[in-house]
Amino acid sequence: MTQMTIGRLSKAAGVNLTTIRYYESIDLMGEPDRSSSGQRLYGDEAVQRLSFIRHARDLGFPMEAVREMIDLQTQPDQDCTAVDAIAREQLADVRKRLTQLEALEAELKRMITCCEGGRVDTCRIISTLNDHSECIADAHERLSTF
């Protein structure tokens, strides 16, 4: 097994040092080995773990879901129903956010279309931002949870 310093691990996994230390502090990485001088030493499994975390985070999984999936990996012979449920929950969240973003897009387009140029004191964009009642009601409600 290859032993590497935190700097080499950072480069190998494409994650900055602060992130590695943070993941260690919240117990996602496990305790690294130490050299005789106390320097952290990591093996190939740390690169794999960081790559897993980074990919999961890139897909928007919340940290607690990442933690659950890491814990589930320690039970490789178990049914993957729990992992499937975590992924389905993430998909539902993504779909909800997409709906909210579409509402946001529609509201911004409407505001821009209503703007006739001119002066700031008569600007419809400023007016709408100052008075929520000028927003499309349905879009406004969906956006309030964003």
Side-chain angles (χ1 to χ4, degrees):
M1 173 167 93
T2 305
Q3 293 282 305
M4 64 187 90
T5 63
I6 195 168
R8 284 188 51 216
L9 174 62
S10 172
K11 288 178 185 161
V15 176
N16 69 47
L17 298 171
T18 306
T19 301
I20 295 170
R21 289 187 186 112
Y22 172 69
Y23 290 160
E24 285 178 354
S25 75
I26 62 171
D27 296 323
L28 284 182
M29 291 298 298
E31 191 65 32
D33 292 336
R34 298 278 181 167
S35 69
S36 59
S37 64
Q39 187 175 34
R40 292 177 171 108
L41 295 174
Y42 302 89
D44 296 331
E45 71 282 348
V47 177
Q48 292 171 342
R49 172 71 57 92
L50 281 171
S51 295
F52 176 86
I53 295 168
R54 182 176 179 201
H55 192 196
R57 297 293 290 153
D58 286 347
L59 291 171
F61 284 96
M63 201 58 83
E64 193 51 43
V66 174
R67 179 184 307 285
E68 288 178 49
M69 289 187 288
I70 287 171
D71 290 344
L72 288 165
Q73 287 180 37
T74 65
Q75 306 165 30
D77 59 330
Q78 296 296 313
D79 186 285
C80 68
T81 304
V83 177
D84 184 73
I86 292 168
R88 288 177 185 277
E89 186 176 328
Q90 179 60 17
L91 178 59
D93 187 53
V94 166
R95 287 179 174 154
K96 178 182 175 184
R97 285 186 281 153
L98 283 171
T99 299
Q100 292 169 330
L101 286 170
E102 288 169 354
L104 175 61
E105 178 186 38
E107 181 62 15
L108 287 169
K109 282 181 178 179
R110 186 192 68 77
M111 287 170 48
I112 291 168
T113 300
C114 290
C115 183
E116 299 171 357
R119 297 175 10 173
V120 171
D121 65 345
T122 60
C123 178
R124 295 292 299 156
I125 295 171
I126 297 292
S127 172
T128 302
L129 292 173
N130 278 322
D131 184 354
H132 293 292
S133 68
E134 292 187 28
C135 293
I136 300 170
D138 185 43
H140 187 267
E141 289 173 17
R142 286 185 283 175
L143 292 174
S144 65
T145 61
F146 192 56

